Protein backbone atom coordinates (compact mmCIF):
# COMPACT_ATOMS: atom_id res chain seq x y z
CA UNK A 1 0.00 0.00 0.00
CA UNK A 2 2.99 2.32 0.11
CA UNK A 3 4.35 1.68 -3.38
CA UNK A 4 4.25 4.37 -6.05
CA UNK A 5 2.16 2.08 -8.27
CA UNK A 6 -0.47 1.80 -5.52
CA UNK A 7 -0.56 5.58 -5.04
CA UNK A 8 -0.92 6.07 -8.79
CA UNK A 9 -3.81 3.62 -8.99
CA UNK A 10 -5.43 5.19 -5.92
CA UNK A 11 -5.23 8.63 -7.54
CA UNK A 12 -6.69 7.21 -10.74
CA UNK A 13 -9.55 5.58 -8.79
CA UNK A 14 -10.36 8.81 -6.95
CA UNK A 15 -10.40 10.79 -10.22
CA UNK A 16 -12.65 8.20 -11.89
CA UNK A 17 -15.02 8.30 -8.89
CA UNK A 18 -15.26 12.05 -9.31
CA UNK A 19 -15.76 11.77 -13.08
CA UNK A 20 -18.27 8.94 -13.32
CA UNK A 21 -20.34 8.34 -10.18
CA UNK A 22 -20.37 11.94 -9.03
CA UNK A 23 -19.78 13.83 -12.29
CA UNK A 24 -22.27 12.04 -14.53
CA UNK A 25 -24.96 12.07 -11.85
CA UNK A 26 -24.55 15.76 -11.02
CA UNK A 27 -24.31 16.72 -14.72
CA UNK A 28 -27.53 14.85 -15.48
CA UNK A 29 -29.32 16.51 -12.57
CA UNK A 30 -28.03 19.99 -13.51
CA UNK A 31 -28.99 19.52 -17.15
CA UNK A 32 -32.50 18.31 -16.29
CA UNK A 33 -32.80 21.09 -13.70
CA UNK A 34 -32.42 23.63 -16.49
CA UNK A 35 -35.59 22.21 -18.11
CA UNK A 36 -37.57 21.74 -14.89
CA UNK A 37 -40.14 24.48 -15.63
CA UNK A 38 -40.92 22.87 -18.98
CA UNK A 39 -40.87 19.33 -17.60
CA UNK A 40 -43.29 20.24 -14.79
CA UNK A 41 -45.08 23.51 -15.49
CA UNK A 42 -47.87 22.49 -13.10
CA UNK A 43 -45.61 23.48 -10.19
CA UNK A 44 -45.97 27.13 -11.15
CA UNK A 45 -49.55 26.95 -12.44
CA UNK A 46 -52.59 24.93 -11.47
CA UNK A 47 -52.66 22.45 -14.39
CA UNK A 48 -53.83 18.83 -14.43
CA UNK A 49 -51.17 16.16 -14.91
CA UNK A 50 -52.71 14.80 -18.13
CA UNK A 51 -52.66 18.30 -19.64
CA UNK A 52 -49.02 18.77 -18.63
CA UNK A 53 -48.09 15.47 -20.30
CA UNK A 54 -49.74 16.67 -23.52
CA UNK A 55 -47.96 20.03 -23.26
CA UNK A 56 -44.62 18.28 -22.85
CA UNK A 57 -45.22 16.18 -25.98
CA UNK A 58 -45.82 19.33 -28.01
CA UNK A 59 -42.99 21.40 -26.51
CA UNK A 60 -40.38 21.96 -29.23
CA UNK A 61 -37.65 22.87 -26.75
CA UNK A 62 -38.05 19.51 -24.99
CA UNK A 63 -38.13 17.69 -28.34
CA UNK A 64 -34.92 19.43 -29.47
CA UNK A 65 -33.04 18.59 -26.25
CA UNK A 66 -32.25 14.85 -26.32
CA UNK A 67 -31.40 14.78 -22.60
CA UNK A 68 -35.05 15.41 -21.73
CA UNK A 69 -36.06 12.01 -23.09
CA UNK A 70 -34.84 10.48 -19.82
CA UNK A 71 -37.35 12.66 -17.93
CA UNK A 72 -40.33 12.36 -20.26
CA UNK A 73 -41.09 8.76 -19.28
CA UNK A 74 -41.87 9.96 -15.77
CA UNK A 75 -44.85 11.85 -14.45
CA UNK A 76 -44.22 15.60 -14.57
CA UNK A 77 -43.58 16.04 -10.86
CA UNK A 78 -40.95 13.26 -11.01
CA UNK A 79 -38.87 14.69 -13.88
CA UNK A 80 -35.71 14.13 -11.76
CA UNK A 81 -36.40 10.44 -11.06
CA UNK A 82 -33.77 9.14 -13.48
CA UNK A 83 -31.19 10.73 -11.16
CA UNK A 84 -32.63 8.70 -8.27
CA UNK A 85 -32.46 5.55 -10.38
CA UNK A 86 -28.87 6.30 -11.38
CA UNK A 87 -27.91 6.99 -7.76
CA UNK A 88 -29.43 3.66 -6.70
CA UNK A 89 -27.48 1.80 -9.39
CA UNK A 90 -24.26 3.49 -8.36
CA UNK A 91 -24.89 2.72 -4.70
CA UNK A 92 -25.64 -0.93 -5.46
CA UNK A 93 -22.66 -1.43 -7.77
CA UNK A 94 -19.94 0.92 -6.58
CA UNK A 95 -20.55 1.88 -2.96
CA UNK A 96 -21.45 -1.69 -1.99
CA UNK A 97 -17.97 -2.79 -3.06
CA UNK A 98 -16.34 -0.37 -0.63
CA UNK A 99 -17.39 -2.43 2.40
CA UNK A 100 -14.65 -4.65 3.75
CA UNK A 101 -17.11 -6.91 5.58
CA UNK A 102 -19.54 -9.13 3.66
CA UNK A 103 -22.11 -8.80 6.44
CA UNK A 104 -22.05 -4.98 6.34
CA UNK A 105 -22.26 -4.99 2.56
CA UNK A 106 -25.24 -7.36 2.67
CA UNK A 107 -27.03 -5.20 5.26
CA UNK A 108 -26.36 -2.08 3.17
CA UNK A 109 -27.62 -3.66 -0.07
CA UNK A 110 -30.68 -5.15 1.63
CA UNK A 111 -31.55 -1.84 3.34
CA UNK A 112 -31.07 0.11 0.10
CA UNK A 113 -33.23 -2.25 -1.94
CA UNK A 114 -36.04 -2.16 0.62
CA UNK A 115 -35.93 1.64 0.78
CA UNK A 116 -36.00 2.00 -3.02
CA UNK A 117 -38.80 -0.56 -3.22
CA UNK A 118 -40.88 1.60 -0.85
CA UNK A 119 -40.01 4.80 -2.74
CA UNK A 120 -40.93 3.25 -6.11
CA UNK A 121 -44.22 1.93 -4.76
CA UNK A 122 -45.24 5.13 -3.01
CA UNK A 123 -44.25 7.49 -5.83
CA UNK A 124 -45.23 5.39 -8.85
CA UNK A 125 -43.17 7.86 -10.90
CA UNK A 126 -43.66 6.39 -14.38
CA UNK A 127 -46.36 7.72 -16.68
CA UNK A 128 -47.42 4.24 -17.69
CA UNK A 129 -49.04 2.31 -14.90
CA UNK A 130 -47.54 -0.96 -16.11
CA UNK A 131 -44.02 0.44 -16.08
CA UNK A 132 -44.45 1.43 -12.43
CA UNK A 133 -45.85 -2.01 -11.63
CA UNK A 134 -43.02 -3.68 -13.54
CA UNK A 135 -40.35 -1.66 -11.69
CA UNK A 136 -42.04 -2.45 -8.38
CA UNK A 137 -41.91 -6.14 -9.24
CA UNK A 138 -38.23 -5.83 -10.20
CA UNK A 139 -37.55 -4.17 -6.85
CA UNK A 140 -39.09 -7.21 -5.16
CA UNK A 141 -36.92 -9.43 -7.34
CA UNK A 142 -33.84 -7.66 -5.95
CA UNK A 143 -35.05 -8.21 -2.39
CA UNK A 144 -35.76 -11.90 -3.09
CA UNK A 145 -32.35 -12.32 -4.72
CA UNK A 146 -30.57 -10.81 -1.72
CA UNK A 147 -32.59 -13.00 0.64
CA UNK A 148 -31.69 -16.07 -1.44
CA UNK A 149 -27.99 -15.15 -1.34
CA UNK A 150 -28.15 -14.63 2.43
CA UNK A 151 -29.85 -18.01 2.90
CA UNK A 152 -27.31 -19.74 0.66
CA UNK A 153 -24.36 -18.10 2.45
CA UNK A 154 -25.80 -19.11 5.82
CA UNK A 155 -26.33 -22.68 4.54
CA UNK A 156 -30.04 -22.39 5.29
CA UNK A 157 -30.67 -23.65 1.78
CA UNK A 158 -28.23 -25.67 -0.25
CA UNK A 159 -28.15 -28.32 -2.94
CA UNK A 160 -31.64 -28.91 -4.35
CA UNK A 161 -33.10 -26.00 -2.35
CA UNK A 162 -30.58 -23.57 -3.83
CA UNK A 163 -31.27 -24.86 -7.34
CA UNK A 164 -35.04 -24.59 -6.76
CA UNK A 165 -34.73 -21.04 -5.43
CA UNK A 166 -32.56 -20.00 -8.37
CA UNK A 167 -34.97 -21.66 -10.80
CA UNK A 168 -37.96 -19.81 -9.33
CA UNK A 169 -36.11 -16.49 -9.62
CA UNK A 170 -35.15 -17.27 -13.22
CA UNK A 171 -38.69 -18.34 -14.14
CA UNK A 172 -40.09 -15.17 -12.57
CA UNK A 173 -37.68 -13.03 -14.60
CA UNK A 174 -38.64 -14.83 -17.82
CA UNK A 175 -42.32 -14.36 -16.99
CA UNK A 176 -41.66 -10.64 -16.52
CA UNK A 177 -40.08 -10.44 -19.96
CA UNK A 178 -43.17 -12.07 -21.50
CA UNK A 179 -45.50 -9.72 -19.61
CA UNK A 180 -43.52 -6.66 -20.73
CA UNK A 181 -43.56 -7.77 -24.39
CA UNK A 182 -47.33 -8.40 -24.29
CA UNK A 183 -47.94 -5.10 -22.51
CA UNK A 184 -45.79 -3.16 -24.98
CA UNK A 185 -47.70 -4.70 -27.90
CA UNK A 186 -50.97 -3.65 -26.26
CA UNK A 187 -49.66 -0.11 -25.69
CA UNK A 188 -48.49 0.15 -29.29
CA UNK A 189 -51.87 -1.00 -30.62
CA UNK A 190 -53.67 1.42 -28.28
CA UNK A 191 -51.47 4.33 -29.41
CA UNK A 192 -52.05 3.45 -33.09
CA UNK A 193 -55.84 3.41 -32.52
CA UNK A 194 -55.68 6.76 -30.72
CA UNK A 195 -53.59 8.34 -33.48
CA UNK A 196 -56.11 7.18 -36.10
CA UNK A 197 -58.96 8.89 -34.28
Amino acid sequence: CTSSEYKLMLSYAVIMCLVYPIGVWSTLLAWLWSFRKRLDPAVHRNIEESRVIQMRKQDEVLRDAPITTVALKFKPRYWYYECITLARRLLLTSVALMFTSLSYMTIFVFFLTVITLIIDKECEPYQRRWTSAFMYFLDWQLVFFIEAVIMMDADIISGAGAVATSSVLLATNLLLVVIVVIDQRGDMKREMRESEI
Side-chain angles (χ1 to χ4, degrees), residues 19-34:
V19 169
Y20 182 69
I22 297 168
V24 170
W25 183 86
S26 57
T27 302
L28 176 63
L29 182 60
W31 209 349
L32 289 175
W33 180 266
S34 68

Side-chain angles (χ1 to χ4, degrees), residues 54-112:
Q54 288 303 318
M55 288 170 55
R56 292 190 327 177
K57 287 180 181 177
Q58 297 166 358
D59 191 329
E60 289 183 27
V61 173
L62 293 179
R63 269 189 293 193
D64 292 341
I67 193 68
T68 60
T69 57
V70 299
L72 293 176
K73 63 185 170 189
F74 300 105
K75 293 176 183 174
R77 69 175 176 259
Y78 298 115
W79 57 265
Y80 54 85
Y81 209 81
E82 189 65 34
C83 296
I84 292 174
T85 303
L86 181 59
R88 175 182 57 187
R89 289 178 187 156
L90 291 170
L91 288 170
L92 285 173
T93 57
S94 301
V95 174
L97 296 176
M98 295 172 62
F99 289 94
T100 56
S101 165
L102 179 63
S103 58
Y104 289 141
M105 181 186 76
T106 305
I107 291 168
F108 171 77
V109 170
F110 186 72
F111 178 76
L112 182 63

